[in-house]
Structures are given as C-alpha cells and as structure tokens.
Amino acid sequence: MYSSDEDEPDLELLELLRNSLTVREPTVVRPQTHVVKSAYFIEDNSIDVAIQRDHVIKAADDIWEAMQKNHYSTEIWSEQELHPKAKDEDTLNFIFLMDLLNFSFWSELPQDKRFSIEYRGKRWTGYSSLVAVIQRALDEGIPITCPYFWVDEEVCTDALLRYIFRSAGEEDIPLLSQRITMMRIAGDILCERYDGRFANCVKEANKSAAALVMLLVTNFSECFDDSHQWHGKTVRFYKRAQILVADVWACFNKTSYGTFTDIASITMFADYRVPVTLHTLGCLRYSPTLTTHIYSNLPIPSGHTWEIQLRGCTISCVEKIKKMIEQRHPESRGHVNSILIDFYLYDTAKELEKQALAYEEAGEVGGQLEIRVGTARRVVKGGIARDWEDGERKEKGMMIPNHRTRTIWY
C-alpha cells in the first residue's frame, strides 16, 4: 500500500516502458495503383459520358451467364492461337515485349489495305498482328524478345526492325518510330537495372500485382506512365502496365511468375474497344456532341476531356458490373474479376466488329446478324445499322464505332 502521492507509480512512465519493450508487427503498406479512385473521380465529374445503373444490373447477369457458359477463366489466354504455349522465362519475355508495344492498331483504311501480317497461312490484323510479328521474327531466328538485342543498335538496326514489322498491306504499323524508341528505352532499363531479365522485375514485386504495376510505371515511366491531368488532379489509367500483369497472371494460370496475392487490384484495361461493347449493352451513354463526333470518325486527341471521360467511365462501369455480379451471384466470388470481364467484353467487341465487317464486305445491307450476350439479344443489320432487342426495350440506330485516339497508351 502506498501512503503518499510520492510513493504512487508514474503511470505514463510505465506505459512508455511497456511500449518500448513490446515487440510490434511492422505496419504493412499495401501498394496502390489509384486507378479505381481515378475512375470514380472521373465518373463523378463527367458530363459527356454517363453510366446507366439499370443496364449495368442487366449486363452483370448476362455477362456472368455468358462467362459460365463459355467457361471463361485464365485458361482462355493460352487458347489464343498465336499466344506462346510454354510456361517459362522465354514466354515471360515474350509477354513483356508484346505489352510494351500493345497499342494503337486502329486504321482508317479498308481491311485489305491496312497493316496486317501474313503468318501461318493467315492474315492477321489488330492486336493479333503484333503477336504474329513477334512469332514470325522468332521463327526467322531473330532474338526479338531479348532486351540485349534491342539495345545493340549495330545489330538491331532501325532498318532491321522495320523489316521485322513488314506489312502484307499498304499501311505500316501505326507509330512504328515510337515503338522502336520504346524498345530501346525499355531495353536499357532492363539491362541496367534487371540484368536483362524481366523475371527480376517480377521477383522484386514480391507477388503483388499492384507493386508490379507501380514498378513498371515508376522505372519505365516513358513506356508505362499512363497518367494525365484532368480537373486539377492526376488521373491514372495504366492500361498497358495492368494488361502486362494480367497477361502474366493468365498465361501462367495463377502459378509461377503469375502468382499474385492481390490480382483483384487490377482493373479493366481502358482502350477503344470495350466502350463499344458497354455502349451496345446500354451501360454507357454519351452526350449528343460526343456521339456525333465519334460517329463521324473524327479524332480525339490524347488527354482530351472526352477521352478521359470515356476511359474513366469505362473502368468505373466494369467495376460496377463486377460488384453487381458478386452481389447477385455469390457463387461468382473468387471466380470473377475485372480482368476476366475485360477479356470477355474485348472478345465480344471483336466479334461484333468481325461479323459486321463481313456483312459490309458482302454488301448485305439488308441482312441481319444476331449476337447474344447471355439472354440479351442483339440484331445487327447490314454491318452498320442495328436493331437491338433486350426484353421490352428496343432501340434503333448505328452501332457506335471505336473512338479514334492515336496514342502510345492504348
């Protein structure tokens, strides 16, 4: 028992001593890309692009049904005819180069005149043309996936690279000089910082998808820092950095180099194709001015407010579709994410374009093409005009084309 105040213990001193002797777990700071935060900010301030919640709900049900029916999973990546099948470091290097150059394939020219690659008895366009370029070069004994090759300008000359990208059409691949420059820049960084091995960059990320995105954005900023100023804030999309991580995850089927503990941090990849599918599904609505501009096939400069709104609202829309699928279909949790939804929407956009072009080339203006997304039914007329029927809702008009932004970011 203490008889006076002087004999009582100093409680603050005891607490200080207790804290100093307690072993505490270090605070773990999880890497953040801030892409979703940027997308929500853009949606909240957008005046030319809007998300229609009732159509998001319907699309979520239809997309989940279609993904189940078509068995959408990481395994679909290897089913793409030109994707490498081996699960090794050579394939990892292939993916790095592929997504380093994965941008701007749209063309104003007819299908038979645009940039294309003849390979394995077929003519490849769009994204597939890039994969065909890499595979053809490897078949010809050119070490195109080796960073040490990219930086050796005596061996890997600009002329040789132009030969590697030679086209079967009248058009060269868009932004060829920028692609060559990016190979040189990324090659220097890989060779100087990572001993020429992208695998070392993946290792540095310590199985974090967000960390790998930020390593790409920070260390390869000229190649992957897809961020812009809008309404006084920096908004981030990181399309190619994210799709690079997603392709590694999908290719290696969530194992080996594709093991990530936070793959849910990756959003969809804001490009010019997925908005077409979301607009067709009624999930996105555009202002009359923007609609007229896109239908007129007029360019939208990179960083323009319309482009920012299109990309940001597309990301936000897919996040909402993902959450709606998880809420309405609890069995989907752990089996669906924004990556797989993007893969599905992108494939749907390609199917819309491919079959619509077939009608145009055949001159069948009065013909009808039916495309289904789950239970939703789309009837495309003449490859250009379309009727779409979805329950009691019916609209007539033209299927909106891709917006045209010539940029290295997508």
Side-chain angles (χ1 to χ4, degrees), residues 354-370 379-386:
K354 176 183 175 182
Q355 297 190 46
L357 280 171
Y359 273 96
E360 288 183 11
E361 291 171 357
E364 298 179 10
V365 177
Q368 290 191 345
L369 164 68
E370 180 174 298
V379 181
V380 181
K381 289 190 174 181
I384 299 176
R386 59 154 168 80

Side-chain angles (χ1 to χ4, degrees), residues 134-349:
I134 301 173
Q135 291 284 21
R136 182 178 65 181
L138 292 172
D139 287 353
E140 294 174 348
I142 301 172
I144 189 63
T145 59
C146 176
Y148 287 107
F149 175 68
W150 311 340
V151 300
D152 188 344
E153 296 190 42
E154 291 185 2
V155 176
C156 181
T157 63
D158 286 2
L160 176 57
L161 288 171
R162 284 193 293 271
Y163 167 78
I164 290 170
F165 283 94
R166 65 193 182 277
S167 175
E170 297 178 8
E171 179 184 45
D172 289 334
I173 190 170
L175 304 180
L176 176 57
S177 63
Q178 287 89 334
R179 295 174 198 273
I180 293 174
T181 298
M182 291 177 69
M183 290 176 69
R184 308 284 193 206
I185 292 171
D188 282 336
I189 296 166
L190 282 173
C191 293
E192 293 174 8
R193 188 180 182 106
Y194 295 107
D195 295 327
R197 298 178 62 203
F198 179 53
N200 288 335
C201 185
V202 174
K203 183 178 180 180
E204 186 177 334
N206 195 26
K207 299 182 180 179
S208 167
L212 184 52
V213 168
M214 296 314 298
L215 282 173
L216 291 166
V217 168
T218 303
N219 296 335
F220 303 80
S221 58
E222 292 181 69
C223 304
F224 290 106
D225 188 4
D226 178 12
S227 61
H228 309 266
Q229 292 299 310
W230 190 72
H231 283 214
K233 291 183 179 291
T234 300
V235 292
R236 300 165 174 87
F237 302 110
Y238 300 155
K239 185 264 185 178
R240 287 189 298 100
Q242 290 203 107
I243 203 170
L244 172 50
V245 175
D247 281 341
V248 172
W249 174 73
C251 169
F252 290 93
N253 201 17
K254 301 176 281 189
T255 64
S256 182
Y257 299 115
T259 303
F260 297 106
T261 59
D262 58 348
I263 197 65
S265 66
I266 302 300
T267 71
M268 63 79 59
F269 322 116
D271 65 356
Y272 51 81
R273 288 198 186 278
V274 173
V276 173
T277 309
L278 293 175
H279 186 275
T280 302
L281 292 172
C283 298
L284 292 181
R285 186 179 73 242
Y286 302 160
S287 69
T289 305
L290 175 57
T291 300
T292 300
H293 191 93
I294 294 176
Y295 276 138
S296 301
N297 289 320
L298 297 173
I300 300 176
S302 179
H304 189 281
T305 184
W306 283 344
E307 188 221 16
I308 297 295
Q309 291 175 66
L310 284 163
R311 300 183 76 196
C313 288
T314 298
I315 294 172
S316 183
C317 186
V318 171
E319 288 298 306
K320 286 176 167 56
I321 289 172
K322 177 186 70 173
K323 290 180 180 179
M324 195 60 63
I325 289 174
E326 291 175 338
Q327 289 175 12
R328 295 170 65 85
H329 305 278
E331 73 278 10
S332 70
R333 293 169 189 167
H335 301 286
V336 67
N337 57 31
S338 295
I339 297 171
L340 294 176
I341 295 172
D342 180 282
F343 286 174
Y344 177 78
L345 293 172
Y346 180 89
D347 288 347
T348 301

Side-chain angles (χ1 to χ4, degrees), residues 66-83:
M67 289 177 70
Q68 286 182 297
K69 182 178 179 180
N70 297 319
H71 305 290
Y72 256 71
S73 69
T74 53
E75 294 180 4
I76 64 169
W77 195 93
S78 294
E79 293 173 6
Q80 209 273 6
E81 183 177 347
L82 294 179
H83 281 167

